[in-house]
Amino acid sequence: MGLLKRKDRAQKPRKVALCLGGGGARGFAHIGAIKAFEECGIKFDLCAGTSAGSLAGAFYCSGMSAEEMIAYSHEIDPKDLKAGMSSLMSLFPSDPLSIGEIFTKRMGNMHIEDMLCPFYCVAVDIVSGKEYIFDKGSVGEAISASCAVPLVFRPVVIGDRHLVDGGVLNNIPASVCRMFGADYVVTVDVNPTRGGGTKELGLLDVIKATFNIMSAHTSVEGLRMSDVIVAPMLGEFSAAKKDGYEKMIELGYNAAMEKAEQIKALFDPKL
């Protein structure tokens, strides 16, 4: 009986998750990675995303193809991505719902429970100070909350929760993939050069460096829990500007192609 049980376990299909990390406008590289996965016939069993990763993950789980994402990326208004950090100096931060509308303008008012692939979106409740995981409800609202960078965007208020960018606590949500049953996790990290400080003393420079350092700290555990990491080198691009988005897509594609065979092996129950 014991041998049969071991054999059954060995033949059980593996559940492999896609984890998409935060990184602002560098999230365009997620699209390139998804294009590579599609071309290689790699289909993930679930997906978790934080911040920019939540937007790309939502499109992926809705059934939108990578080519459709690329075509749509040309239409995205840079203002919706909050080019620059000028609102850090404003008493009236921007409305984060504009980011969620990037999804709803293309896909309509979809709900998470209606998506083709299980999708989990990470935000942080600043009332409780804890991570909040969207596994149901409005996709656009979930994306808006996950992308609501503190000081740049106002928190998204849902009931008694005040939700901000998931990267505050969990920038690489591999732990969420594990929580929802993943045996293996493939992470696309679009901000591998995070953590840089600054010698400047200006307010904006200090705040930017603070966010960089915080992002590095909140990514360590997620990277540790990942089995394969796709990490395109995007240091030359700004996380706050759309400039160079086509090159970012290309770099994401190339980085994912380099790891394609490793990823395919995760699905093979005989290995």
Side-chain angles (χ1 to χ4, degrees):
M1 184 65 73
L3 289 175
L4 287 175
K5 287 183 178 179
R6 283 196 293 274
K7 184 178 180 182
D8 289 342
R9 280 200 299 270
Q11 293 178 345
K12 179 184 176 182
R14 297 176 174 185
K15 185 175 286 189
V16 184
L18 175 61
C19 171
L20 300 177
R26 291 172 180 159
F28 281 106
H30 285 314
I31 300 174
I34 291 170
K35 182 175 187 290
F37 299 146
E38 286 185 357
E39 290 184 6
C40 293
I42 297 170
K43 296 182 179 180
F44 294 96
D45 298 294
L46 62 100
C47 174
T50 291
S51 198
S54 73
L55 181 57
F59 280 123
Y60 173 76
C61 291
S62 72
M64 190 176 189
S65 71
E67 287 296 342
E68 289 173 320
M69 293 183 211
I70 292 171
Y72 186 47
S73 69
H74 303 320
E75 304 174 24
I76 294 176
D77 189 337
K79 293 179 181 178
D80 291 338
L81 301 175
K82 197 54 193 176
M85 300 288 281
S86 59
S87 61
L88 286 172
M89 302 300 292
S90 172
L91 294 176
F92 306 100
S94 298
D95 187 346
L97 296 179
S98 61
I99 298 182
E101 287 175 0
I102 293 174
F103 179 88
T104 56
K105 285 177 182 176
R106 181 64 174 77
M107 304 304 294
N109 295 316
M110 184 177 287
H111 280 68
I112 292 174
E113 51 267 50
D114 297 326
M115 304 192 96
L116 299 180
C117 176
F119 173 62
Y120 305 97
C121 181
V122 181
V124 172
D125 179 9
I126 60 172
V127 175
S128 67
K130 297 179 180 179
E131 178 179 87
Y132 181 79
I133 302 168
F134 286 90
D135 60 355
K136 60 184 177 181
S138 166
V139 178
E141 194 171 56
I143 293 169
S144 296
S146 187
C147 295
V149 178
L151 301 181
V152 178
F153 295 104
R154 294 192 298 274
V156 173
V157 179
I158 301 176
D160 58 357
R161 296 186 178 92
H162 296 178
L163 301 168
V164 299
D165 194 307
V168 170
L169 286 180
N170 194 355
N171 198 53
I172 303 288
S175 61
V176 177
C177 295
R178 302 283 184 186
M179 183 187 306
F180 288 95
D183 298 303
Y184 297 95
V185 178
V186 175
T187 287
V188 182
D189 180 10
V190 295
N191 196 17
T193 58
R194 66 176 62 82
T198 181
K199 294 181 179 179
E200 304 299 325
L201 297 178
L203 178 61
L204 289 180
D205 293 307
V206 171
I207 291 176
K208 287 180 183 178
T210 300
F211 277 116
N212 286 338
I213 294 168
M214 180 184 69
S215 174
H217 178 73
T218 65
S219 299
V220 171
E221 185 66 6
L223 294 172
R224 186 188 69 80
M225 296 181 72
S226 302
D227 297 285
V228 178
I229 299 171
V230 175
M233 299 309 294
L234 303 169
E236 66 182 285
F237 303 100
S238 170
K241 296 181 180 179
K242 188 183 176 183
D243 299 357
Y245 73 98
E246 291 176 302
K247 182 64 175 179
M248 287 188 260
I249 292 172
E250 178 185 345
L251 290 172
Y253 174 86
N254 292 338
M257 277 296 189
E258 290 176 4
K259 298 293 181 74
E261 292 307 313
Q262 287 180 248
I263 297 170
K264 287 180 183 179
L266 298 179
F267 290 86
D268 188 347
K270 291 179 278 190
L271 297 179

